[in-house]
Amino acid sequence: MSVFVSAADLNERIQAGLKQTVIASLWEPEAGKAWSKFQSEHVPTALFCDPSSQLAGLPGRKAGRNPLPAFGVVKKAVANWGIEEDRPVYIYDGGNGLFAARTWWILRWVGVTDVHIVDGGFAAWKREKLPTVAGPGGIVVPREPERLEPGSMPTASMEDVREFEGMILDARSARRFAGRREILDLRAGHIPGAVNLPVTDLFDDTTHLIKDTNTIRGRLAEVGITQNTDPQSVITYSGSGNHSAKLLAAMEHAGLPVLTHYVGGWSQWSANKENRVVTRV
């Protein structure tokens, strides 16, 4: 089954009473606002995910804005969501796909394999006038997860990137890549030798729905990545692992290899004064 599935397809599964875990990965800058929004309206049977506490470690200059979470934190979340081996997982966010993709990648990183993203998120669900419910969400009995294995997706550290001789792929916008705009991290620019492929190129600008697989493959081929590319020969990054997670999800959806992920990203790289940065293309 594809990584990205339509809101209508998930709704059909829910209405048919099929087994699945639905996760709402929602974030708002104001503390508690995402949880309040979830309680007021969400997809039936959905469970709440707080990306900042369940999908990332403590932010800082050394680790970056959204470093990898401790395995124990993710293991506890998986247990609380009631994820089981024979139960597919469907994730949605507000609509831009960044937090759903982060959740998808983190679950894959700990070894959960049957994971999908609702294309267009809750915004698509609302556009299609699909049913919603209020309240604290679905009820599950937490259970000890089976066969979780951190490191099930390839990752790279900052030291790995410094020594890397293959392709480095930057998933941020062209303006941030070129150093023309930077409001999130300490320095502007990109990692020396990196190639830019904004993940937004693979999605519709208005609806955030994923483009067709041929378009995705064609865009990746423009930078030299095909179905035959060795995943270990390319490292991808973004600001703090969200845009790059979305890029990886789109690539797997299109049948392309899942590349090595530098989760610390530009937020970690730019904060280290020993690292060179490039502000031109």
Side-chain angles (χ1 to χ4, degrees):
M1 188 181 293
S2 299
V3 173
F4 288 83
V5 299
S6 71
D9 285 346
L10 175 57
N11 182 59
E12 285 182 12
R13 290 187 60 91
I14 294 171
Q15 299 304 318
L18 299 177
K19 290 177 58 178
Q20 63 262 320
T21 298
V22 181
I23 298 174
S25 188
L26 306 175
W27 181 84
E28 293 285 344
E30 183 182 336
K33 189 173 181 180
W35 172 239
S36 295
K37 280 190 172 183
F38 174 82
Q39 287 185 297
S40 66
E41 188 177 32
H42 57 262
V43 171
T45 74
L47 301 160
F48 180 72
C49 167
D50 176 10
S52 60
S53 65
Q54 295 176 298
L55 306 177
L58 291 175
R61 292 173 64 96
K62 289 187 177 181
R65 282 187 282 112
N66 293 301
L68 273 174
F71 171 60
V73 171
V74 184
K75 184 178 180 181
K76 181 178 179 181
V78 169
N80 289 338
W81 293 326
I83 293 176
E84 303 175 21
E85 285 190 56
D86 61 344
R87 185 190 296 266
V89 181
Y90 294 84
I91 309 160
Y92 73 89
D93 59 17
N96 67 13
L98 291 177
F99 295 104
R102 175 80 179 202
T103 313
W104 171 85
W105 190 86
I106 291 293
L107 288 177
R108 293 290 308 280
W109 175 67
V110 297
V112 182
T113 57
D114 197 357
V115 191
H116 311 277
I117 296 171
V118 179
D119 198 14
F122 197 57
W125 192 276
K126 294 283 285 183
R127 278 197 308 271
E128 297 188 32
K129 296 180 170 54
L130 299 174
T132 61
V133 296
I139 299 174
V140 299
V141 177
R143 54 187 300 163
E144 183 69 17
E146 298 178 4
R147 301 181 185 176
L148 292 186
E149 255 187 69
S152 294
M153 296 282 266
T155 60
S157 66
M158 183 170 62
E159 290 70 26
D160 293 331
V161 176
R162 285 172 174 167
E163 300 173 1
F164 193 61
E165 297 181 353
M167 178 189 292
I168 299 175
L169 189 64
D170 188 317
R172 298 174 301 156
S173 70
R175 287 172 63 84
R176 291 187 70 194
F177 178 81
R180 294 194 297 269
R181 177 178 175 80
E182 184 56 69
I183 60 174
L184 295 173
D185 297 315
L186 295 177
R187 288 190 285 172
H190 60 265
I191 296 173
V195 175
N196 187 215
L197 195 162
V199 68
T200 51
D201 289 1
L202 310 181
F203 294 81
D204 183 88
D205 292 337
T206 303
T207 64
H208 301 292
L209 295 174
I210 194 166
K211 294 182 178 179
D212 66 272
T213 57
N214 287 334
T215 298
I216 295 171
R217 290 173 184 166
R219 185 66 183 90
L220 268 295
E222 290 176 11
V223 296
I225 298 176
T226 69
Q227 290 169 292
N228 297 321
T229 297
D230 178 358
Q232 301 293 332
S233 69
V234 185
I235 291 175
T236 188
Y237 75 96
S238 57
S240 59
N242 293 344
H243 287 80
S244 40
K246 189 176 178 182
L247 174 68
L248 294 171
M251 290 180 66
E252 181 163 288
H253 179 80
L256 295 167
V258 177
L259 309 176
T260 301
H261 195 188
Y262 173 33
V263 180
W266 184 247
S267 64
Q268 183 187 42
W269 184 273
S270 63
N272 190 306
K273 294 180 179 180
E274 295 181 4
N275 291 332
R276 286 199 312 116
V277 303
V278 178
T279 55
R280 62 185 185 277
V281 287

